[in-house]
Amino acid sequence: MRKYIVAGNWKMNGKLEDTQILASEVVNMYKDEVNNGVVAVMIPPFVGITEVQRLAKGSPLHVGAQNCHQEESGAYTGEVSAPILASFGLEYVIIGHSERREYFGESNALLAQKVDQVLRHQMTPIYCVGETLTEREEDRHFQVIEQQITEGLFHLNADQIQKIVIAYEPVWAIGTGKTASAEQAQEIHAFIRDLLTKRYSENIAQEISILYGGSVKPNNAAELFAMADIDGGLIGGAALKSRDFIDICKAVPA
Ligand code: PGA
């Protein structure tokens, strides 16, 4: 059975002291309060990774990265590669967050290469897709999502695709306080699972966790996670508050 995952994307937040406070609070509260089997992941900026790992040592919390470069190594000043992340013991890497697509011009073709790199180094890509407000208003959201999934993932073979986590994050819902309704999100999640069924098989599609992201908060998480094809969340703003992040973890059905 596929897993419920709640991943906290800290984005460009987390000075050293904030990182230490947030990570230790999350670790302690998780230990005391969460027992529903959810896979919880903290995803700080690159420089915070080792500190978060140190604080999470011995706890069931996982640690991830927000991006990686598509090449193995070399003269790419300022970049971090998948083998570097793997050597630090990371398990998850977000690939193709809408902020990377929009502000750093990351195309589906480039993201396909990054997905390959993450898999080559035995980590799990969290591959993000999602339409903008204009695309939804023009009724192009299904087409956009299909293209992001097809071009970013469908070169993978049946073994590889089962190692992927997908996150549906409508761009209009990220950081805006506007969540997709549980029904709107479910509609896209079911559509993505259907694409996976057609390209691979029903069995494989059923094994892949599809997370929802975009203004997930403690007060809407349970309704979203109760939907048939929503297998957890990718959490931005609320992941910076230990109380909120833990309450979202607890909203996963046991
Ligand atoms: P948000 O961000 O929860 O602040 O809307 C989600 C994300 O960008 O992953």
Side-chain angles (χ1 to χ4, degrees):
M1 260 312 273
R2 58 188 188 253
K3 291 180 264 187
Y4 276 100
I5 300 169
V6 171
N9 172 12
W10 296 9
K11 305 193 181 183
M12 199 171 70
N13 298 288
K15 292 182 183 167
L16 177 58
E17 197 190 345
D18 303 333
T19 296
Q20 290 169 327
I21 293 170
L22 179 56
S24 22
E25 285 179 359
V26 167
V27 166
N28 287 327
M29 290 162 95
Y30 188 95
K31 172 164 60 71
D32 294 341
E33 300 180 37
V34 184
N35 50 20
N36 55 8
V38 63
V39 175
V41 192
M42 293 187 281
I43 311 185
F46 287 131
V47 289
I49 284 171
T50 50
E51 188 64 3
V52 173
Q53 286 177 316
R54 184 179 72 78
L55 293 163
K57 204 166 178 186
S59 103
L61 279 140
H62 301 261
V63 185
Q66 299 174 14
N67 178 35
C68 74
H69 195 266
Q70 65 275 20
E71 299 292 338
E72 282 282 309
S73 64
Y76 300 100
T77 301
E79 292 294 314
V80 176
S81 69
I84 295 174
L85 295 174
S87 78
F88 277 82
L90 285 185
E91 296 161 278
Y92 293 87
V93 186
I94 300 176
I95 296 294
H97 188 280
S98 65
E99 288 149 18
R100 302 284 326 164
R101 291 176 184 268
E102 183 181 351
Y103 306 136
F104 301 92
E106 296 191 354
S107 65
N108 292 328
L110 173 78
L111 298 173
Q113 292 178 44
K114 293 191 177 201
V115 164
D116 288 344
Q117 273 298 100
V118 174
L119 287 176
R120 189 169 298 136
H121 295 282
Q122 281 80 45
M123 297 177 291
T124 302
I126 302 177
Y127 179 73
C128 302
V129 298
E131 81 284 1
T132 61
L133 185 57
T134 316
E135 288 161 347
R136 183 165 274 265
E137 285 172 349
E138 292 172 355
D139 210 20
R140 290 194 286 125
H141 43 301
F142 289 108
Q143 185 197 324
V144 168
I145 307 277
E146 179 165 359
Q147 196 168 1
Q148 290 169 336
I149 295 278
T150 309
E151 295 180 4
L153 296 181
F154 279 5
H155 62 290
L156 300 175
N157 66 31
D159 280 345
Q160 293 169 321
I161 194 75
Q162 294 179 72
K163 300 186 176 124
I164 298 280
V165 171
I166 295 171
Y168 168 57
E169 300 203 300
V171 178
W172 48 271
I174 295 177
T176 58
K178 271 197 208 168
T179 333
S181 69
E183 291 73 24
Q184 272 175 326
Q186 166 60 26
E187 183 184 36
I188 300 286
H189 283 232
F191 173 71
I192 293 171
R193 208 176 302 284
D194 195 46
L195 293 173
L196 293 164
T197 300
K198 288 187 187 129
R199 166 68 179 84
Y200 298 96
S201 71
E202 170 78 30
N203 284 349
I204 288 175
Q206 289 299 330
E207 287 302 313
I208 297 174
S209 297
I210 308 177
L211 316 184
Y212 169 78
S215 298
V216 178
K217 306 287 177 210
N219 64 6
N220 58 25
E223 191 189 355
L224 287 158
F225 300 165
M227 303 309 282
D229 290 291
I230 302 184
D231 309 311
L234 183 54
I235 319 300
L240 297 173
K241 295 182 189 144
S242 51
R243 179 74 269 154
D244 286 1
F245 184 68
I246 291 297
D247 284 347
I248 293 169
C249 288
K250 287 159 76 176
V252 161

